Amino acid sequence: MDEHIIELKNISKNYGDLQVLEHLNLYINQNEFLTLLGPSGCGKTTTLRIVGGFESPAEGDVFYRGTRINDLPPYKRNINTVFQRYALFPSMTVGENIAFGPTLSKKLSKKEIDRQVDEMLALVNLSGYGNRRIDTLSGGQQQRVAVARALINRPDVLLLDEPLGALDLKLRKEMQIELKHIQVESGITFLYVTHDQEEALTMSDTIVVMNDGKIQQIGTPQDIYNEPKNSFVADFIGESNILKATMIRDYEVEFLGRRFPCIDTGFGENKPVDIVLRPEDVELIPVREDRPSGTVVSSIFKGVHYEMRIVCGEDLIVSQSTRYVEPGSSVSIDVTPENIQVMEPSDLTPTLIAAKKAQRVRLEVRP
Amino acid sequence: MKKQKSALLALPMAIWLLVFVLIPIGVIVYYGVTVTGPDGNLVFSLSNFARFADETYLKVFLRSIKIALYATVICLVLGYPVAYICARGTERFRTIVMLLLMLPMWMNFLLRTYAWLSILENSGLVNRILGQFGIERIQFLYSEGSVIFGTVYNFLPFMILPIQNVLLKMDDSLLEAAYDLGATPVQRFLRIVVPFSVPGVISGITMTFVPSVTTFVVSQLMGGGKVPLVGDIIERQFRVVSDWHFGSAVSVIVMIVIISMMVLMNKVDKSDVDERGVIL
């Protein structure tokens, strides 16, 4: 069994009347790349700051290798942080910034510190930058200095708070790969916070989706994408069609007025459920009586595929396919059983459906 | 075209600097290097400067520098913590403290200093209170100490404000980062906060030291004429002796000394020259 390096038990936190975290339970395994993913205000940064020791929980306990560390100040935790806006010290050079941690303890000789700084600079691809001033570096370089400064203390856990938020798309993609590389290379546990689902899917071993101070789902990127537990997760991760449906019985679900075979069981008979269909799983076929049908209102070329929008009664369905379908044509919709993801109904679903519809209609109207 | 326009915008500033800064300094320097000749015309001479090299004057000058240095150091020691606490405090707290600091400044400089006279004089408030406890009268006024006290009192806000302004710009995450990397609160203060505040400290020192060296109101009132400073010499030449040439020469000397000291101080911390600009 993996060792739980960090464990959060029943953590709650509030700022005045605002409940930020509600009875949160979570553990992080040794050497894991774990990402807290959610919209802003979901409590992900607060969770990270509690692990770092910058905030203390109102309720609940934080454990580090089984020891309770609620009252341990940040500088006594073997955990380091890469801050959102890097927080590099402006009065020091790149090398001095990286050496900050080791020079504090005075345990190492200057020569040894210099050697370690060079090693860190090499790790983050900044060899030769030691004497540069911070304000002469680009955003991506500052980012890497921040990572090096945090890693030189050889922490057991590295906390990263939206570290790529300020970078442009191309640099962000490069840094995603580089960070993952650094994590594998150094063997350090990463706790990563982001609102960018693609970033989370690319780098993580485990993703924790959060909303409103509660964990919605914990799983591998594949789990989260392919089998979202509820409509919030489905909506947050990737494009999706979320529909109200009825579970007729095991292996049979009804939506858009038709019955479909599915692979889910255990919801009971004639129970309301939510379902999610990924656009790439929605097949457009010639009109068939036993399948819902509708009219294609738009076909947009997206590069790898076309994106079709189909008005189907009250609903607006998005389908992605490499095959072009003429707008105005009548089609039926089909989905293979394993691509229908059945979920417990959520209070959030009607809002999500309405928001999606409004957004899609708005896109349609655009000239 | 665009360049010409912006040059035009600078014109009022240029005229201001010429009329109110350069010409007056030019006149002072001109008076400093001339004396009235036997025929009543002004003739070039450095004798005004030579006159200053007299023991009496040099003593006064050194005393001025000493008192200004003491006052500046005391302002820094008292002002830095206030600036730090304000900068780290809430907006509301900061507004209240700033209001209390600025309130006396809205009163006339002379009046404020007179107020201290009545508090500190032999039959003043402090001595009367001490008297209630059977403590003998203490002579507070008319000493170097009272002059330093008056100077600190009058110029302390000029130390606090620039330091606070710089510290306000410091991101909280810098402190958290230092904390996170293993710095104790003391290390954090010495290695992050202090270096960050250097530009504010330098302008604070400048804004307290310069007026402290040249003040004559404080030394005349709080020192009662027993602790003359270089400002008193200059004032005397203009208002009592009417030797504008010698007065101007002393002014020029003081100006040169102050500028040299400021240049020297800027050299000490040349790492972030570009962030400052304003103070010299």
Side-chain angles (χ1 to χ4, degrees):
Chain A
M1 206 189 100
D2 288 322
E3 193 195 352
H4 298 176
I5 187 161
I6 298 282
E7 190 158 4
L8 302 175
K9 275 194 180 150
N10 203 25
I11 299 278
S12 292
K13 174 83 185 171
N14 57 295
Y15 297 116
D17 288 338
L18 186 73
Q19 191 74 30
V20 196
L21 293 176
E22 258 184 85
H23 306 292
L24 186 106
N25 286 290
L26 178 70
Y27 62 78
I28 305 168
N29 288 324
Q30 181 88 42
N31 296 349
E32 188 174 27
F33 195 127
L34 185 135
T35 300
L36 301 176
L37 175 67
S40 50
C42 73
K44 55 191 193 301
T45 295
T46 306
T47 308
L48 179 111
R49 291 173 62 82
I50 286 174
V51 175
F54 302 112
E55 310 268 354
S56 46
E59 228 184 280
D61 296 311
V62 185
F63 292 94
Y64 172 79
R65 295 191 197 281
T67 318
R68 187 175 174 279
I69 56 164
N70 280 35
D71 308 314
L72 209 61
Y75 64 91
K76 286 191 181 158
R77 299 184 184 199
N78 201 9
I79 296 172
N80 287 116
T81 310
V82 175
F83 291 85
Q84 205 161 15
R85 273 163 299 149
Y86 319 140
L88 297 175
F89 307 129
S91 57
M92 303 179 195
T93 64
V94 169
E96 286 165 351
N97 261 279
I98 298 175
F100 187 79
T103 47
L104 287 173
S105 61
K106 292 178 187 133
K107 274 184 219 143
L108 301 172
S109 68
K110 174 141 185 5
K111 218 172 149 192
E112 173 59 16
I113 291 174
D114 286 346
R115 196 192 61 74
Q116 286 189 8
V117 168
D118 285 343
E119 197 183 301
M120 282 300 143
L121 284 170
L123 179 70
V124 297
N125 258 328
L126 282 177
S127 292
Y129 279 72
N131 291 322
R132 294 275 289 269
R133 284 176 47 129
I134 294 302
D135 54 17
T136 64
L137 300 185
S138 70
Q141 290 167 336
Q142 292 193 13
Q143 160 67 58
R144 282 181 277 174
V145 175
V147 171
R149 184 181 68 177
L151 282 179
I152 198 170
N153 279 0
R154 308 201 181 279
D156 290 326
V157 183
L158 187 69
L159 310 179
L160 301 104
D161 187 5
E162 306 232 11
L164 307 183
L167 305 180
D168 63 57
L169 186 66
K170 189 167 174 292
L171 203 53
R172 204 152 65 211
K173 299 218 168 193
E174 282 172 23
M175 281 305 295
Q176 287 173 13
I177 295 165
E178 206 158 325
L179 279 178
K180 181 70 192 174
H181 174 77
I182 290 171
Q183 192 254 336
V184 172
E185 192 97 319
S186 60
I188 291 171
T189 309
F190 274 37
L191 176 58
Y192 194 97
V193 160
T194 184
H195 63 266
D196 183 327
Q197 43 112 353
E198 194 229 315
E199 212 166 277
L201 293 172
T202 310
M203 296 190 283
S204 320
D205 298 320
T206 306
I207 295 177
V208 178
V209 184
M210 293 179 69
N211 188 37
D212 274 344
K214 279 176 261 177
I215 291 177
Q216 305 293 318
Q217 186 171 359
I218 302 178
T220 64
Q222 290 84 347
D223 287 345
I224 301 272
Y225 187 85
N226 292 330
E227 281 159 48
K229 250 190 184 157
N230 58 38
S231 54
F232 175 82
V233 177
D235 176 59
F236 200 78
I237 307 274
E239 273 269 15
S240 58
N241 295 292
I242 296 167
L243 297 168
K244 285 258 159 228
T246 309
M247 200 70 188
I248 302 299
R249 63 181 74 83
D250 283 357
Y251 304 112
E252 191 170 19
V253 63
E254 183 184 302
F255 57 89
L256 299 171
R258 298 291 185 277
R259 291 184 180 190
F260 285 77
C262 67
I263 55 168
D264 298 84
T265 58
F267 285 91
E269 290 192 3
N270 291 315
K271 281 277 160 23
V273 290
D274 291 339
I275 61 156
V276 58
L277 309 173
R278 294 293 180 195
E280 64 269 26
D281 296 333
V282 176
E283 294 169 51
L284 301 183
I285 55 168
V287 176
R288 238 170 75 184
E289 200 32 52
D290 62 338
R291 285 289 166 261
S293 42
T295 312
V296 177
V297 289
S298 73
S299 289
I300 304 164
F301 180 59
K302 291 269 182 176
V304 230
H305 57 253
Y306 291 92
E307 189 166 288
M308 269 71 68
R309 285 158 210 279
I310 304 102
V311 172
C312 200
E314 290 278 285
D315 293 287
L316 190 63
I317 305 292
V318 175
S319 161
Q320 290 171 351
S321 163
T322 49
R323 204 169 49 84
Y324 177 75
V325 182
E326 192 78 38
S329 31
S330 294
V331 291
S332 275
I333 286 164
D334 199 11
V335 191
T336 54
E338 58 271 22
N339 285 335
I340 300 171
Q341 177 60 32
V342 182
M343 311 171 297
E344 287 290 344
S346 150
D347 297 342
L348 217 58
T349 310
T351 333
L352 285 174
I353 293 175
K356 264 184 188 299
K357 211 161 158 186
Q359 187 195 5
R360 283 172 187 170
V361 169
R362 203 164 52 237
L363 283 170
E364 266 3 283
V365 174
R366 220 167 48 185
Chain B
M1 184 65 199
K2 208 171 173 191
K3 225 174 183 172
Q4 281 174 345
K5 261 189 188 162
S6 59
L8 214 64
L9 282 174
L11 198 64
M13 179 68 172
I15 292 173
W16 174 275
L17 287 176
L18 184 74
V19 174
F20 294 102
V21 180
L22 293 179
I23 293 178
I25 290 179
V27 171
I28 291 170
V29 172
Y30 177 71
Y31 268 92
V33 295
T34 50
V35 288
T36 316
D39 53 356
N41 286 332
L42 296 183
V43 289
F44 176 80
S45 161
L46 289 177
S47 61
N48 296 317
F49 291 91
R51 259 177 78 192
F52 191 73
D54 179 271
E55 201 193 337
T56 342
Y57 293 131
L58 286 180
K59 248 171 131 174
V60 171
F61 185 60
L62 285 180
R63 182 195 292 138
S64 300
I65 299 278
K66 186 182 79 181
I67 285 183
L69 277 178
Y70 280 152
T72 305
V73 169
I74 293 171
C75 279
L76 183 61
V77 171
L78 290 177
Y80 199 104
V82 177
Y84 182 73
I85 293 166
C86 279
R88 307 283 308 149
T90 61
E91 182 89 46
R92 205 183 129 76
F93 174 76
R94 196 155 53 238
T95 313
I96 292 171
V97 175
M98 281 305 120
L99 195 70
L100 290 175
L101 270 174
M102 300 308 285
L103 211 58
M105 311 250 303
W106 297 339
M107 255 177 289
N108 184 282
F109 187 95
L110 216 58
L111 216 62
R112 286 183 258 152
T113 314
Y114 267 117
W116 274 110
L117 283 183
S118 68
I119 295 172
L120 294 178
E121 67 190 357
N122 284 350
S123 55
L125 188 66
V126 178
N127 270 326
R128 261 182 285 159
I129 292 172
L130 290 179
Q132 295 292 314
F133 296 99
I135 298 167
E136 259 181 64
R137 269 187 188 171
I138 300 170
Q139 170 75 35
F140 291 111
L141 289 175
Y142 315 132
S143 64
E144 281 191 3
S146 63
V147 174
I148 293 173
F149 178 85
T151 312
V152 169
Y153 168 71
N154 277 307
F155 300 127
L156 184 60
F158 298 109
M159 180 66 86
I160 296 175
L161 288 175
I163 298 178
Q164 189 208 225
N165 280 341
V166 170
L167 286 177
L168 273 176
K169 281 188 246 152
M170 187 171 66
D171 201 327
D172 273 0
S173 65
L174 283 187
L175 296 181
E176 286 188 344
Y179 210 24
D180 181 69
L181 291 165
T184 60
V186 174
Q187 284 174 322
R188 185 169 77 162
F189 180 76
L190 292 178
R191 302 191 50 166
I192 306 299
V193 179
V194 170
F196 194 92
S197 64
V198 164
V201 170
I202 289 187
S203 49
I205 289 176
T206 312
M207 286 172 72
T208 47
F209 181 75
V210 175
S212 303
V213 171
T214 50
T215 181
F216 58 88
V217 174
V218 175
S219 63
Q220 278 176 7
L221 295 180
M222 307 286 283
K226 286 184 184 159
V227 194
L229 300 182
V230 74
D232 296 299
I233 299 180
I234 298 169
E235 193 241 355
R236 220 178 124 73
Q237 298 311 313
F238 280 88
R239 302 229 330 235
V240 185
V241 190
S242 283
D243 188 349
W244 288 25
H245 299 284
F246 184 53
S248 297
V250 177
S251 279
V252 170
I253 291 168
V254 171
M255 205 157 76
I256 290 169
V257 170
I258 289 176
I259 289 175
S260 321
M261 290 178 86
M262 290 302 123
V263 168
L264 212 70
M265 203 159 67
N266 276 311
K267 283 257 165 67
V268 173
D269 171 67
K270 57 182 168 211
S271 57
D272 20 28
V273 177
D274 37 22
E275 284 168 30
R276 255 188 340 264
V278 190
I279 58 144
L280 227 182

